[in-house]
Amino acid sequence: MKGLYRILLPLVLLTVCLFAFPTQSIAEEYVFAGKWGVPGSGEGQLFHPEVVNTSNSKVYVTEYFNHRVQIFSTVGTYLGKLGLVGAISEDYLWPRSIAVGPSGDIYIAELNSKSIQKFDGNGNFILKWGSYGTGDMQFTSINGLAADSLGNIYVLDAYDYCIKKYSSGAVGMVGVTFIKKWGTNIPGEEQSYIQPEQIKGIAADSAGNVYVAEADPNRIHVCIKKFDTNGNFIRKWGSWGTSNEQFSTPWGLAVDSEGKVYVIDMIGCSFKKFDANGNFITKFGSYGSGDGQFYSPTGIAVDSFGTVYVADMNNNRIQKFVLAATSTTIIASTTITPSTTSTTRLMKSTTTTTRRPIGITTTTRRVPITIKIPIPGPGPTLPKY
């Protein structure tokens, strides 16, 4: 029994130490990390950028009034553009939205021709589909595009009151297949109700779940709706207002690799971050033209490093943000000095966040910590049973 006592006491003390030094957590906070763009129509200049997307260390920006999509590096270096006026197969003069597939293929919605055009990652034209109408391969008004990790494309067709899903196959594949559509304009069917010109943003996560932003000028349908990849309603969150969980005008949407959802609140001049269940995490932004301020932001994108890019439309620029939190978690660290001690080595998990131009690189190392736990001396003799 004496031996059992000598074994159990250190374990009890270790448990007390673990509860006495709980994990430290730091709330997420974003900081301004850069910007680019001046008003104009020249290379690298921007005029009312609307939608931003990112893939393979490139940032794609649509300019409806400049009739083009510009391509930048993640630090704002001009790399090229898509949208050759007069080229028959590449003639999208009014780019409304853009999505980038998992293999780097680029999809651009063109408002005037009611069509979607597909390019490879080098900007080479692959195919085009769509015309005006309500058929499976037609569109009335494309308000948004999204691509999931399998290469499926989701189209927000406002005046057909639906979301249309297509499969475009492997990278560079010439061909597209209609899969299904869902939605209705019947107000009583709240879960699938889609009102023209209210739906402003769409995004898909790695599991194929689809998120839609509804911005109602009458302040009735102001929310984010979530569907699974087959169009089944999962949940919705938000309402009109100014609290953390509310929106004035939800517009652009993005989903990161962890399933976190980012929502642009255009009139609120901010972006908000939620988990996949709609629980609020953090927000950033205010009205103005200074660093970290917005004037009618419309588009948002998140790269694989967690860096956030915002199309600051009326400030004619792209702004970039990174997480500022650096956390160190200490499992236990204390010293007790008895006459006789036993040394137990635990590990401290230290997370170091280094800010780089293209995002955040996080490394974790384990450092030993010494905890001295008392072992009693001879003391009284325990009874024998």
Side-chain angles (χ1 to χ4, degrees):
M1 187 67 184
K2 182 177 180 181
L4 180 62
Y5 176 76
R6 292 168 65 87
I7 293 172
L8 291 177
L9 182 58
L11 294 177
V12 172
L13 292 173
L14 177 58
T15 301
V16 172
C17 290
L18 291 174
F19 281 99
F21 295 88
T23 299
Q24 302 294 316
S25 61
I26 300 176
E28 290 190 358
E29 179 184 356
Y30 281 89
V31 295
F32 172 81
K35 63 183 178 182
W36 67 85
V38 294
S41 58
E43 294 182 351
Q45 296 178 331
L46 296 170
F47 183 66
H48 288 189
E50 289 190 78
V51 181
V52 61
N53 212 310
T54 180
S55 177
N56 297 326
S57 299
K58 295 179 182 178
V59 179
Y60 301 87
V61 182
T62 68
E63 292 176 275
Y64 182 78
F65 294 105
N66 273 339
H67 315 298
R68 66 186 180 184
V69 173
Q70 291 200 81
I71 308 170
F72 299 90
S73 73
T74 55
V75 293
T77 303
Y78 174 79
L79 301 177
K81 66 180 179 180
L82 297 172
L84 303 176
V85 176
I88 295 175
S89 63
E90 302 175 58
D91 185 15
Y92 57 93
L93 300 180
W94 302 96
R96 188 63 183 267
S97 187
I98 186 170
V100 183
S103 300
D105 286 343
I106 305 162
Y107 301 84
I108 299 171
E110 201 279 317
L111 180 65
N112 195 37
S113 65
K114 315 300 182 189
S115 66
I116 298 172
Q117 300 190 39
K118 178 180 179 180
F119 299 80
D120 66 21
N122 296 317
N124 300 307
F125 176 80
I126 298 176
L127 63 87
K128 172 182 177 180
W129 81 92
S131 60
Y132 178 77
T134 58
D136 293 342
M137 301 295 288
Q138 294 180 310
F139 309 104
T140 58
S141 179
I142 303 173
N143 275 18
L145 291 177
D148 66 20
S149 60
L150 298 178
N152 296 309
I153 306 301
Y154 303 87
V155 183
L156 206 51
D157 192 355
Y159 286 93
D160 202 10
Y161 314 104
C162 67
I163 297 165
K164 296 178 179 177
K165 179 181 178 180
Y166 301 88
S167 172
S168 63
V171 58
M173 175 182 172
V174 180
V176 64
T177 304
F178 172 79
I179 298 176
K180 70 177 307 175
K181 64 180 179 181
W182 67 89
T184 180
N185 65 336
I186 302 174
E189 298 184 19
E190 176 60 30
Q191 293 182 353
S192 58
Y193 175 63
I194 294 178
Q195 175 70 22
E197 293 307 321
Q198 288 184 7
I199 47 177
K200 298 300 182 183
I202 185 170
D205 63 22
S206 59
N209 296 309
V210 179
Y211 301 82
V212 177
E214 291 197 0
D216 183 358
N218 296 317
R219 302 178 181 179
I220 299 174
H221 302 279
V222 180
C223 63
I224 307 300
K225 290 181 179 178
K226 180 179 181 180
F227 303 87
D228 68 18
T229 190
N230 295 312
N232 298 306
F233 177 81
I234 298 176
R235 65 174 49 86
K236 70 173 184 176
W237 70 87
S239 61
W240 186 87
T242 58
S243 72
N244 290 338
E245 294 79 14
Q246 294 179 311
F247 312 99
S248 56
T249 312
W251 207 271
L253 289 177
V255 183
D256 66 19
S257 59
E258 297 179 346
K260 304 297 192 303
V261 182
Y262 301 73
V263 184
I264 284 288
D265 193 339
M266 187 182 71
I267 294 178
C269 294
S270 62
F271 68 83
K272 297 182 178 182
K273 182 176 180 180
F274 301 85
D275 67 19
N277 295 317
N279 298 305
F280 175 80
I281 297 175
T282 190
K283 67 178 180 179
F284 185 94
S286 61
Y287 170 77
S289 59
D291 294 345
Q293 294 182 314
F294 306 111
Y295 183 13
S296 298
T298 52
I300 189 167
V302 187
D303 67 17
S304 58
F305 295 93
T307 304
V308 176
Y309 303 85
V310 174
D312 191 2
M313 184 175 68
N314 284 345
N315 279 326
N316 299 298
R317 64 186 180 181
I318 302 299
Q319 293 199 72
K320 176 179 174 180
F321 305 91
V322 296
L323 276 173
T326 300
S327 62
T328 299
T329 301
I330 298 178
I331 298 176
S333 178
T334 187
T335 301
I336 304 174
T337 309
S339 57
T340 306
T341 63
S342 172
T343 300
T344 301
R345 293 178 70 77
L346 299 178
M347 302 300 291
K348 178 175 73 174
S349 215
T350 302
T351 301
T352 303
T353 302
T354 304
R355 195 173 302 142
R356 296 184 178 177
I358 60 173
I360 299 175
T361 300
T362 304
T363 58
T364 302
R365 60 190 180 91
R366 297 182 68 79
V367 182
I369 299 175
T370 299
I371 295 181
K372 295 183 178 181
I373 300 175
I375 295 178
T381 301
L382 296 175
K384 295 181 181 180
Y385 295 95

